[in-house]
Amino acid sequence: MCGIAGYLGPKPADSVLIVALERLKYRGYDSAGLAVMSDGEIHLRRAAGKLKQLSDLIEAQPVDGHCGIAHTRWATHGAPTEINCHPHLASGGPYDGRIAVVHNGIIENHEQLRRELTQAGAIFRSETDTEVIPQLIAHHYRGDALAAVRAAVARLEGSFAFAVVFADHPRRIVAVRQGSPLLVGKGRAYDAGEPAAEGSTASFAKAGRTSVREMLLASDVPALLPHAHQVCFLADGQIADLTDQGLALSDFAGQPVEAEFKAIEVTAEAVSKGSFDSFMAKEIAEQPAVLARLLDSRLRGGALVEPDLGLDLASVNHVVFLAAGTSWHAALLGKRFLEQLARIHVEVDISSEYRYRNPVASGNTLVVAISQSGETADTLAGLRLARAKFIPVVGLVNTVTSTIARESNGVMPLLAGPEIGVASTKAYTAQVLALYLFALQVARAKGLLDAAAEAQAVAAARALPELAATTLASAEEPVEEAADIFAAAQATVFLGRGGEHPTALEGALKLKELAYVHAVGYPAGEFKHGPIALVTSHLPVICLCPRDALYEKMLSNLQEVRARAGRVIAVGQGGDRALRDLSDHLFPVARAGEDLLQPLLSVLPLQRYAYHVARRRNCDVDQPRNLAKSVTVE
Ligand code: M6R
């Protein structure tokens, strides 16, 4: 989704903002732009397409200034053209070209506002909903920037975050949060005349300041790096007034609010690719270390360390998982874990469905909101609906500073580190492991886990990092061979039973989103009820066949595919001769010490398969077309 950045400080704003946009582009974008204040004017640079187009434009037409706002746009209203790129300007009235806005979210009443403002003399130049914001601010502006923003916000409906600059206030950025994430970063203070790392402090010296504070604004923490050391997360209904003296925070009624800054813990290295060709490759490779980190935080010796969720887990008898996409696949496994280990009734809901039905709340229900980003709009809306019904919510999130984490009663962190590739990989396996540990915790609270069973479960979990590393290494060659052969296939089917059904869904989603191959995952027992009609000698069918209780059933499915000349890729144990003989290709996977955990290993070669097929089809694995990393609008 759209990304916002802002900078105010001694360095050249265009260079700082381009780096910030680089760090936001993982969210998904199709055009980008910035506005920099210079010589009492607002200078726009905007370009459709990749960020490189914008950098080239700035190189050809540099703009010298120390305060500006910038944006990566993921088109909703209007095609990804230069005219629809942000920033958008007020146009047609006395403040023509003198107020610029970047925005994330959707203004639901934009058509009504557009009609009113046009009648009042505003001239609209784009097809976006965003353009009503600078026009509305200009309509209310009488020299007081904050008063104009407050008056405009009172008319806006929807979910949004935006930043605005005024030509009349060359060292000021005003920003608003109402439903979409927005963060203020604090950099260091500079004495007037002190040289900044890049650029100069000349403009500040001119302004007669003795010292200036470097301030930043962004939709996400990585975009504040490396300049900011502290971050303040705006809450809904807050307005941030950034000047070179710091941040003043107020609510929509103008009442001052105390700003709380925290140290930024993410490092610049954690958000770089390192020696890998893509974030996706790096994040897949990180999985053994991610699993080990999560286990270290949750286990002491042979026993579980229980995070304090502030809940009486023993009394919970109904759990509802809320999630979207890959997180929903993890939730399907969470259901199996909780049912088998803690013997409680579990529902798994797609967030966008849950939020629009009227779910039944019983006294002992617990909602678990699963989200890598912690910002997915539908999951957040589901969480709020649950809380409005007085249902406690636990957030299973990777981004612990996210809105879902802040609004949950208790938080289970994934500790996977920043996930930048649009396709979720390391967050998925961390979610699966965290859900397994959560199920053990509930089982223990209910007296269903004796010491021997706990020690056995813990030992199986402890072995996972090494088994994941072995699997990634041993599957690589066969995965590449299969990708060479099937990269041009127009469709792929994934079959799995039990815990491998979610793996089949996840393998299919990875292939769809990364390689643009039509792919579907089925519970293998359902295959005969229709989808088997798809099988031809051109169709690769990926069969998940670990040596678990349903192994023989899977072999029958595999035979059915072979009997119809389908091309079988099996995922199973490397030493399984029978499986090797029955399949065209075998992706070897280590055997987990506990059947429930096997899907966490089976998914690894499927991630690599999607990666390799995507590369062979010349697809951008980090930023697949049309997709956004955090889906912060409906
Ligand atoms: O941040 P979340 O886990 O809430 O995101 C949910 C989905 O948008 C996400 O998993 C999506 O399906 C990924 N692109 C899958 O790789």
Side-chain angles (χ1 to χ4, degrees):
M1 300 282 117
C2 302
I4 291 176
Y7 178 75
L8 179 63
K11 297 165 193 154
D14 58 349
S15 334
V16 175
L17 289 171
I18 283 287
V19 173
L21 293 184
E22 278 289 340
R23 299 242 167 86
L24 289 173
K25 68 184 189 183
Y26 78 93
R27 295 164 65 89
Y29 77 108
D30 35 44
S31 58
L34 54 77
V36 171
M37 319 293 288
S38 183
D39 298 327
E41 303 285 334
I42 296 174
H43 298 262
L44 287 196
R45 300 287 183 272
R46 308 187 302 184
K50 292 287 177 193
L51 213 43
K52 170 88 171 59
Q53 318 301 123
L54 180 64
S55 314
D56 289 350
L57 178 67
I58 291 169
E59 207 174 309
Q61 299 170 25
V63 46
D64 179 23
H66 300 265
C67 171
I69 53 176
H71 191 259
T72 46
R73 174 170 187 255
W74 188 82
T76 55
H77 295 61
T81 57
E82 197 246 314
I83 203 82
N84 288 330
C85 262
H86 300 211
H88 288 286
L89 292 171
S91 178
Y95 300 105
D96 189 294
R98 299 191 60 77
I99 296 173
V101 164
V102 292
H103 159 230
N104 173 19
I106 291 177
I107 306 300
E108 287 167 1
N109 58 337
H110 70 104
E111 282 174 3
Q112 161 76 19
L113 290 171
R114 186 181 269 250
R115 272 195 300 278
E116 286 177 27
L117 290 161
T118 304
Q119 273 173 9
I123 298 171
F124 281 82
R125 305 193 183 273
S126 77
E127 303 158 90
T128 64
D129 55 332
T130 301
E131 203 182 346
V132 299
I133 306 175
Q135 305 281 28
L136 195 56
I137 294 172
H139 183 72
H140 291 286
Y141 182 59
R142 306 282 181 276
D144 181 340
L146 281 175
V149 169
R150 275 198 301 271
V153 158
R155 292 292 322 277
L156 297 175
E157 289 169 18
S159 137
F160 50 83
F162 68 82
V164 50
V165 286
F166 296 76
D168 294 357
H169 303 271
R171 263 182 300 280
R172 185 176 203 179
I173 303 173
V174 179
V176 174
R177 174 185 164 137
Q178 180 60 32
S180 298
L182 201 56
L183 292 50
V184 173
K186 197 186 328 184
R188 53 169 287 222
Y190 287 79
D191 292 333
E194 180 189 351
E198 314 150 52
S200 81
T201 56
S203 61
F204 289 96
K206 241 192 266 165
R209 303 273 204 270
T210 52
S211 88
V212 294
R213 172 70 70 180
E214 187 171 46
M215 298 299 293
L216 295 101
L217 187 72
S219 302
D220 206 351
V221 173
L224 300 174
L225 300 171
H227 312 284
H229 310 293
Q230 289 186 301
V231 61
C232 168
F233 293 87
L234 300 195
D236 283 349
Q238 290 186 342
I239 301 180
D241 186 12
L242 277 69
T243 64
D244 56 25
Q245 299 303 295
L247 165 69
L249 209 54
S250 58
D251 64 18
F252 285 1
Q255 292 304 310
V257 175
E258 199 178 332
E260 279 178 38
F261 279 92
K262 298 179 184 167
I264 294 179
E265 280 163 14
V266 177
T267 62
E269 294 71 53
V271 293
S272 82
K273 279 188 250 188
S275 58
F276 290 86
D277 63 15
S278 59
F279 282 106
M280 186 194 182
K282 178 184 178 216
E283 288 156 8
I284 290 175
E286 277 174 354
Q287 288 175 105
V290 166
L291 298 173
R293 185 160 59 230
L294 183 55
L295 288 166
D296 283 347
S297 79
R298 297 289 306 278
L299 303 177
R300 291 284 173 278
L304 284 169
V305 179
E306 302 190 349
D308 182 11
L309 301 173
L311 296 165
D312 173 19
L313 290 177
S315 65
V316 172
N317 60 16
H318 177 212
V319 168
V320 179
F321 284 121
L322 290 188
T326 285
S327 298
W328 182 71
H329 299 154
L332 295 174
L333 285 169
K335 175 181 167 80
R336 296 182 67 79
F337 300 157
L338 271 176
E339 283 181 352
Q340 302 223 7
L341 296 168
R343 304 307 299 158
I344 51 177
H345 178 58
V346 181
E347 282 174 81
V348 180
D349 249 301
I350 288 183
S351 311
S352 53
E353 293 295 318
Y354 178 85
R355 66 179 293 189
Y356 290 118
R357 59 188 178 80
N358 188 10
V360 179
S362 79
N364 295 327
T365 297
L366 171 69
V367 163
V368 179
I370 307 178
S371 174
Q372 186 286 128
S373 61
E375 300 293 350
T376 297
D378 287 320
T379 307
L380 182 58
L383 175 159
R384 287 176 177 162
L385 174 65
R387 293 216 54 184
K389 288 173 177 281
F390 303 102
I391 306 174
V393 179
V394 168
L396 185 71
V397 294
N398 194 31
T399 312
V400 287
T401 49
S402 62
T403 313
I404 289 179
R406 285 202 303 278
E407 295 195 15
S408 296
N409 300 82
V411 175
M412 288 188 282
L414 295 177
L415 307 178
E419 190 178 67
I420 310 284
V422 162
S424 188
T425 53
K426 63 176 180 173
Y428 176 68
T429 44
Q431 283 167 341
V432 174
L433 178 56
L435 285 165
Y436 179 73
L437 298 173
F438 176 61
L440 291 175
Q441 184 180 350
V442 178
R444 187 156 82 171
K446 287 183 169 291
L448 294 174
L449 192 71
D450 61 30
E454 181 172 332
Q456 201 178 337
V458 165
R462 277 259 184 236
L464 286 170
E466 205 177 320
L467 296 175
T470 311
T471 300
L472 284 169
S474 65
E476 187 61 8
E477 211 178 296
V479 164
E480 281 210 66
E481 277 170 21
D484 281 339
I485 294 168
F486 297 115
Q490 289 184 350
T492 301
V493 168
F494 293 74
L495 298 180
R497 285 174 180 262
E500 301 295 4
H501 171 223
T503 315
L505 297 177
E506 177 60 7
L509 178 59
K510 292 282 95 84
L511 195 60
K512 269 187 282 223
E513 68 178 335
L514 292 165
Y516 319 145
V517 173
H518 180 67
V520 279
Y522 285 109
E526 273 291 292
F527 202 47
K528 280 203 284 286
H529 297 281
I532 199 167
L534 294 170
V535 177
T536 67
S537 59
H538 302 296
L539 184 77
V541 181
I542 300 189
C543 299
L544 291 141
C545 307
R547 281 259 179 195
D548 60 14
L550 298 170
Y551 173 75
E552 296 296 340
K553 309 268 177 219
M554 273 309 301
L555 286 196
S556 304
N557 291 117
L558 197 150
Q559 296 276 23
E560 288 156 9
V561 174
R562 272 169 63 89
R564 287 155 185 85
R567 312 285 295 278
V568 173
I569 300 171
V571 181
Q573 275 61 76
D576 186 339
R577 295 291 296 270
L579 191 59
R580 203 172 273 280
D581 290 347
L582 285 173
S583 45
D584 298 291
H585 300 269
L586 175 68
F587 296 167
V589 174
R591 185 88 178 95
E594 151 67 75
D595 279 353
L596 284 173
L597 289 170
Q598 188 61 42
L600 192 151
L601 299 173
S602 304
V603 77
L604 301 173
L606 303 189
Q607 296 171 342
R608 289 297 294 175
Y609 181 71
Y611 165 86
H612 282 301
V613 173
R615 300 289 301 216
R616 281 155 182 74
R617 294 168 71 98
N618 292 319
C619 302
D620 181 340
V621 293
D622 282 340
Q623 290 158 52
R625 71 181 178 209
N626 304 340
L627 293 182
K629 179 70 179 163
S630 331
V631 182
T632 54
V633 295
E634 277 199 80

